[in-house]
Amino acid sequence: MPGQCVIGLQWGDEAKGKLVDLLTEGKDLVVRYQGGANAGHTVVIGDDVYKLHHIPSGIINAGVLNLITPGVVINPPTILKEINSLAERGIDVSTRMKISQRAHVVMPWHVLEDKMWNELVSGEDNIGTTLRGIGPCYADKIGRSFAIRMGDLIQPDFADRVRKIVAVKKKVLSATSGDQVVELDPDAIVAEYTEYAAQLASMIADTNRILLDAVDEDRNILFEGAQGSLLDIDHGTFPFVTSSNSSGVGISAGSGVPGNWIQEVIGVTKSYATRVGGGPFPTEQDNDHGQHIRDMGNEYGTTTGRPRRCGWFDAVAARYTARLGGVTSVALTMLDVLSELETIAVCVAYELNGERIDHFPAHVNELRNLVPIYETMPGWQTDVTGARSLDDLPANAVRYARKLESLIGRKIEYISVGPDRAQTIHIQKRESLEEYLKGKYV
Ligand code: IMP
């Protein structure tokens, strides 16, 4: 069986954790391949709610091996906290998870740099990062000379390396921070991180080997994307993006599996749009509509608690990210959030400098100047949280999903109507919603 992947088609928070949890059934491995503790994945099973940042969502299922591969950046105290809180709930992570030796470590200076860089850029240029040190850690990875990988933590020259890096970082940070004191004590950092390494030692491994062996053995593997495609460092709304390849193109590079082996990619999208932090958001509704969506969808960040910006579904953006990621089918989430609305708008194209365009522009200045062209659909004004099949949905809800399906250009395979595992419609036959509606309502 080829690898199955779950990626976000928007700016993150598409409810990927729930889908990953569903698809984990029958899998041998679940792989997190990019991002770090900036992610927030919520998995709800019955009354149990698990909020994960670092650890793959497959951790809740016994019998699944979870891998954190080279493309991820690890914050040791954060991941240990997560491991300990899962242990309190009876989940022994150490027997279910391996972390790549090649994954880079988010060190204390990365968090300081993230905060400092954030303070230096104000107004609409501010990215509004999660302040988790993600960008600076990836910057050091690319720069190489001052990077530390998980495997380095247990090398004999670790202390020496930290001292050399801290000496340089202090100079740079002091130069930019003015009078602020830069508190980085290399000996304390070495002692602290050596202790973290000891606690994580049994989990640090060569995940490339494990994964390539699993590919040779035809194991069932699920790849779990973090953030969303529009936050991709190369293909997203740069510079208002994260620092990793969070679209479908990141799966191969971040995990270490050959690209031609990835054949099934499920693109997850909300039934509307949200984004956290700064940057262009063409369909944003900074008004009562947006507030209604925020209230109904409880749109507050899992990682930072920030209220999310909310708006209408942007089909141009979703079509772009579905094509970019080689998406084979779509999971439409949070449909229930729209249930009270009388009418729902969908962005079908943009106007840029007086011209209609149907592609997603590359430059931030173009993205900022887009005027969405909307089509309006009638709402269904019926609670759909109990729906378990297409037949249980009001016709207008299916019509809305069909509209999105035809605009994205990929079949919708899952519709989620609530946070619980059970609140999911799986369109097994993979018929298009157009065919379904014809058969039912001619
Ligand atoms: P960073 O990843 O902390 O550098 O933040 C860069 C941008 O990505 C900011 O706008 C964040 O709000 C956004 N971001 C990072 N991780 C997530 C996520 O998991 N969900 C949604 N937005 C995210």
Side-chain angles (χ1 to χ4, degrees):
M1 181 184 169
Q4 193 176 39
C5 313
V6 173
I7 61 163
L9 295 182
Q10 300 169 301
W11 283 284
D13 311 315
E14 297 94 347
K16 297 179 291 293
K18 168 179 164 170
L19 201 78
V20 169
D21 173 56
L22 268 176
L23 297 176
T24 298
E25 203 72 46
K27 295 291 185 298
D28 302 307
L29 288 97
V30 174
V31 179
R32 252 300 295 272
Y33 54 88
Q34 46 73 224
N38 49 350
H41 291 171
T42 307
V43 180
V44 181
I45 300 168
D47 292 336
D48 293 327
V49 180
Y50 298 88
K51 287 193 188 288
L52 305 169
H53 298 284
H54 249 320
I55 295 180
S57 305
I59 202 73
I60 295 142
N61 295 50
V64 174
L65 180 62
N66 292 269
L67 298 184
I68 300 184
T69 57
V72 177
V73 291
I74 311 279
N75 184 317
T78 308
I79 201 168
L80 279 165
K81 223 162 128 190
E82 224 166 287
I83 291 169
N84 293 336
S85 86
L86 285 167
E88 280 166 20
R89 300 171 75 173
I91 296 172
D92 179 6
V93 174
S94 67
T95 57
R96 300 185 188 179
M97 184 174 83
K98 297 287 177 204
I99 305 168
S100 174
Q101 293 164 331
R102 293 178 171 93
H104 284 247
V105 185
V106 177
M107 297 297 290
W109 49 85
H110 292 136
V111 179
L112 287 180
E113 286 171 333
D114 207 357
K115 286 189 179 135
M116 215 166 270
W117 296 354
N118 184 60
E119 282 165 17
L120 289 172
V121 186
S122 56
E124 67 166 13
D125 292 334
N126 188 294
I127 296 172
T129 75
T130 59
L131 301 177
R132 299 290 190 273
I134 304 296
C137 181
Y138 277 112
D140 275 340
K141 169 179 170 170
I142 302 300
R144 292 148 297 161
S145 305
F146 306 119
I148 291 182
R149 307 205 293 180
M150 288 303 286
D152 295 332
L153 297 178
I154 44 173
Q155 293 297 314
D157 64 349
F158 174 60
D160 199 32
R161 197 165 166 69
V162 169
R163 280 186 203 108
K164 283 182 189 156
I165 295 174
V166 166
V168 176
K169 292 284 176 185
K170 271 188 143 173
K171 273 192 207 155
V172 177
L173 283 167
S174 305
T176 35
S177 69
D179 295 335
Q180 283 181 50
V181 183
V182 178
E183 283 181 28
L184 287 174
D185 174 352
D187 294 332
I189 294 172
V190 169
E192 193 184 334
Y193 280 71
T194 303
E195 174 56 28
Y196 295 147
Q199 291 179 46
L200 293 168
S202 67
M203 287 171 260
I204 300 176
D206 182 354
T207 60
N208 285 45
R209 234 174 101 186
I210 298 172
L211 198 52
L212 290 173
D213 284 349
V215 168
D216 284 349
E217 289 161 12
D218 242 359
R219 299 258 179 215
N220 294 322
I221 309 175
L222 182 67
F223 295 85
E224 175 181 17
Q227 288 86 44
S229 304
L230 294 170
L231 289 172
D232 188 289
I233 181 75
D234 292 307
H235 310 286
T237 51
F238 189 89
F240 299 95
V241 291
T242 190
S243 302
S244 62
N245 283 118
S246 52
S247 71
V249 302
I251 302 164
S252 175
S255 63
V257 296
N260 63 359
W261 187 77
I262 295 160
Q263 288 178 12
E264 194 179 342
V265 182
I266 300 166
V268 187
T269 174
K270 281 179 187 170
S271 309
Y272 48 92
T274 63
R275 108 166 269 180
V276 214
F281 179 3
T283 61
E284 180 169 19
Q285 298 298 301
D286 192 10
N287 53 29
D288 287 352
H289 286 309
Q291 188 57 44
H292 176 80
I293 292 174
R294 189 174 302 115
D295 292 342
M296 299 307 289
N298 190 25
E299 291 292 357
Y300 296 88
T302 320
T303 301
T304 58
R306 290 180 288 180
R308 295 182 184 138
R309 298 159 65 193
C310 298
W312 299 123
F313 187 82
D314 185 339
V316 184
R319 185 168 58 238
Y320 164 59
T321 52
R323 292 167 69 206
L324 174 71
V327 162
T328 47
S329 69
V330 169
L332 185 67
T333 62
M334 320 281 277
L335 189 68
D336 52 303
V337 172
L338 302 180
S339 288
E340 287 185 8
L341 295 170
E342 250 173 70
T343 54
I344 304 167
V346 181
C347 168
V348 296
Y350 308 120
E351 203 181 286
L352 180 64
N353 304 326
E355 248 180 70
R356 184 186 167 110
I357 60 166
D358 60 8
H359 66 273
F360 196 74
H363 201 277
V364 67
N365 289 345
E366 292 174 316
L367 289 163
R368 277 186 174 135
N369 289 330
L370 294 174
V371 181
I373 298 173
Y374 292 111
E375 278 184 24
T376 303
M377 308 270 304
W380 44 92
Q381 297 181 285
T382 314
D383 178 13
V384 294
T385 53
R388 298 294 177 266
S389 74
L390 284 179
D391 290 343
D392 298 337
L393 284 179
N396 278 353
V398 184
R399 288 190 184 109
Y400 179 70
R402 173 191 59 174
K403 179 80 184 167
L404 304 195
E405 181 176 87
S406 71
L407 290 167
I408 300 169
R410 299 289 191 276
K411 278 185 187 166
I412 291 178
E413 186 177 356
Y414 296 91
I415 298 178
S416 171
V417 291
D420 199 84
R421 242 185 213 183
Q423 291 175 297
T424 313
I425 298 168
H426 186 191
I427 307 170
Q428 301 269 9
K429 283 192 290 174
R430 296 258 199 125
E431 65 189 341
S432 74
L433 294 175
E434 185 70 44
E435 289 157 33
Y436 172 83
L437 276 170
K438 264 192 206 142
K440 203 167 148 106
Y441 300 100
V442 197

